[in-house]
Amino acid sequence: MTEALFAEFDASTYDDWVEAARASLGGRTLERIVSATYEGIDIAPLPHADCVGAGLASDGIRGAGRARPWLIANEIDIAAPDDFNAALKTALANGQTAITVGRSLRLEQAGDTRAALAGIDLPRYPILLLSGGRSPEIYRLLQAPLNEGDLRRLTGCAGYDPLGAAARSGSLPADAFDALAAHVANLEAGSPDLGSIAVDASPYHDAGANAAQELAIALATGVAYLRELGGRGFAAEFAAEKLHVSLGIGENFFMEVAKFRAIKSLWAQMLRAFGVSAASRRIRLHARGGLRNKTRRERHVNLLRLTSETLAAALGGVDSICLPAFDAPSGASDEFSRRLSRNIQLILQEEAQVTKLIDPAGGAWHIERLTDQLARKAWRQFQRIEAAGGILAALQSGAIQAEVATVAERRRQDLAAGKSILVGANAYVNEAEPLPPARSLETADSRAYGIRVEPLRPLRLAEDFELPRHAAGAGA
């Protein structure tokens, strides 16, 4: 049937396409339009079937695909437990499908937990405790308002990630890995279906890391936890089932699709090296939108960025997505902006029907090649981290921070020089739009203790272009 449809057309070779492209370029060579990424990958024009090799590994990319909706797991950035509870009930009644407890919510005693979660059927919704280094403490507070039966029915992740928290805060408890082992054992006894180990690479993403760095750091962190837990009596097969990975969502659409696809094969390859069976190698993958590319002045443009980021994560096959509000650079969100972040995801699920396909990006030559290139880059960087003593040693030496800072500085310089564009910051700025006033945004867990490392500094690229105007009184 296909042959009959195309019988009247002459077959074209790749060389024919190259010659046609050269003619359209007015004498320029194809090499002139090769673009370089922050990952050190050259993006060539005219992708074709022959440029897609066998791939570093295929484990986990298609085999782990599920034609089902990802969890809508937006964080509610409200500190007061009573106000958080009201906002959470509204979110769950209007499309949110998971409960995310982030660093903003103020939980200090069991009464705070009762107030924050009052009237909510917790076993009905997966719960994600994305609260930095406080997950063991918050899980203990969570035990107070629940009976033993409901506690055992909890799903999701209350993962402890001391290394990720240290990268963000600069502090690592001296007994962090003992505490991790105790947390794993505690959850296995009380909530066996709740993930207990988190690998959160978003602090590095937020600081400006490229996709290869983010993947390499996630792998190195996972290896560190498997080794530490192995030394405390936990088999890798068991620990692998408790691991949940969180990655940031960046601005380069195709690179982000490739990143979420690549981590699946890389994760499976890493777990295979630990002797984990194929059945336990599937990654549990959370995607989190950040503020790195968000603008404060032209805040409505962020809605377009959030839509692109959500689609990239969805096409990459993640299990859950947390989007910030479009006006998050101004501080705490409100019900209107939170609703729009939910609806972006609902439209992609219910109207665009992205969830009807398994690995919808599979077979696209550009994405397949980019996935393979990125996976190879990330694996080499992961091997360098391991050769230098592992992720903790790399953080203590400052090597990770320096490498991330180098990429962040390149991003700043490219924007300053106009080599890259951030709409509403260094190009297409609506000078008539006032700079919104900043709202208060409280965060918890700023304590310092134990082993100290240089903390990563969150990056928001638009600040370099907004602050001079603000200082001059424009829109203030």
Side-chain angles (χ1 to χ4, degrees), residues 369-418:
R369 178 173 174 78
L370 189 55
T371 300
D372 181 60
Q373 289 176 304
L374 179 59
R376 292 178 186 276
K377 283 271 186 183
W379 189 259
R380 286 194 292 270
Q381 291 192 33
F382 160 63
Q383 289 177 315
R384 287 198 296 271
I385 294 172
E386 287 297 289
I391 184 67
L392 179 55
L395 285 170
Q396 287 180 298
S397 70
I400 293 282
Q401 296 91 326
E403 290 178 7
V404 171
T406 297
V407 178
E409 184 57 28
R410 280 186 56 204
R411 295 183 191 276
R412 288 193 186 95
Q413 290 177 359
D414 286 349
L415 280 176

Side-chain angles (χ1 to χ4, degrees), residues 126-446:
I127 186 167
L128 303 177
L129 300 187
L130 306 178
S131 47
R134 295 190 65 209
S135 286
E137 178 185 351
I138 292 176
Y139 177 74
R140 288 192 293 271
L141 294 175
L142 190 64
Q143 292 174 297
L146 293 177
N147 61 50
E148 183 178 345
D150 285 347
L151 202 64
R152 292 193 67 81
R153 290 167 54 209
L154 293 181
T155 60
C157 180
Y160 182 36
D161 180 19
L163 290 172
R168 191 185 298 275
S169 69
S171 299
L172 178 73
D175 63 346
F177 299 120
D178 289 333
L180 176 62
H183 182 61
V184 171
N186 189 25
L187 263 67
E188 181 62 15
S191 303
D193 294 328
L194 200 58
S196 51
I197 313 164
V199 173
D200 184 6
S202 62
Y204 307 91
H205 174 93
D206 292 345
N210 64 40
Q213 290 171 329
E214 196 175 350
L215 295 182
I217 289 166
L219 290 170
T221 303
V223 165
Y225 292 155
L226 288 172
R227 284 180 177 151
E228 293 291 344
L229 290 170
R232 290 164 173 80
F234 293 93
E237 184 84 13
F238 168 82
E241 295 281 355
K242 306 300 179 182
L243 279 160
H244 286 240
V245 178
S246 178
L247 302 178
I249 316 174
E251 54 283 340
N252 185 329
F253 179 81
F254 291 110
M255 186 65 73
E256 295 306 301
V257 176
K259 181 177 78 178
F260 290 113
R261 297 179 79 247
I263 188 62
K264 297 176 185 179
S265 63
L266 292 170
W267 196 254
Q269 182 164 311
M270 180 269 285
L271 291 178
R272 188 191 304 116
F274 276 90
V276 175
S277 67
S280 298
R281 291 180 203 154
R282 186 184 79 79
I283 193 170
R284 293 149 186 86
L285 187 55
H286 177 69
R288 174 185 166 275
L291 302 186
R292 190 172 79 185
N293 64 331
K294 304 303 187 296
T295 48
R296 182 178 167 199
R297 178 181 298 275
E298 303 229 11
R299 57 196 183 280
H300 293 98
V301 179
N302 293 330
L303 289 167
L304 307 179
R305 297 185 176 108
L306 291 168
T307 302
S308 173
E309 290 168 7
T310 306
L311 182 58
L315 295 181
V318 303
D319 297 296
S320 56
I321 297 177
C322 173
L323 288 189
F326 74 90
D327 57 353
S330 296
S333 60
D334 58 21
E335 175 50 36
F336 172 74
S337 57
R338 289 193 295 270
R339 176 163 59 87
L340 292 184
S341 288
R342 283 196 309 274
N343 285 347
I344 287 171
Q345 300 188 58
L346 289 168
I347 287 171
L348 288 175
Q349 288 187 356
E350 304 292 345
E351 297 185 24
Q353 299 189 8
V354 173
T355 59
K356 300 298 182 183
L357 300 173
I358 294 175
D359 190 24
W365 297 332
H366 174 54
I367 294 177
E368 292 282 12
R369 178 173 174 78
L370 189 55
T371 300
D372 181 60
Q373 289 176 304
L374 179 59
R376 292 178 186 276
K377 283 271 186 183
W379 189 259
R380 286 194 292 270
Q381 291 192 33
F382 160 63
Q383 289 177 315
R384 287 198 296 271
I385 294 172
E386 287 297 289
I391 184 67
L392 179 55
L395 285 170
Q396 287 180 298
S397 70
I400 293 282
Q401 296 91 326
E403 290 178 7
V404 171
T406 297
V407 178
E409 184 57 28
R410 280 186 56 204
R411 295 183 191 276
R412 288 193 186 95
Q413 290 177 359
D414 286 349
L415 280 176
K419 292 175 62 178
S420 62
I421 297 297
L422 189 61
V423 175
N426 71 333
Y428 313 111
V429 180
N430 180 5
E431 299 287 357
E433 183 169 345
L435 192 68
R439 297 190 296 271
S440 173
L441 177 60
E442 298 181 47
T443 58
D445 194 25
S446 59

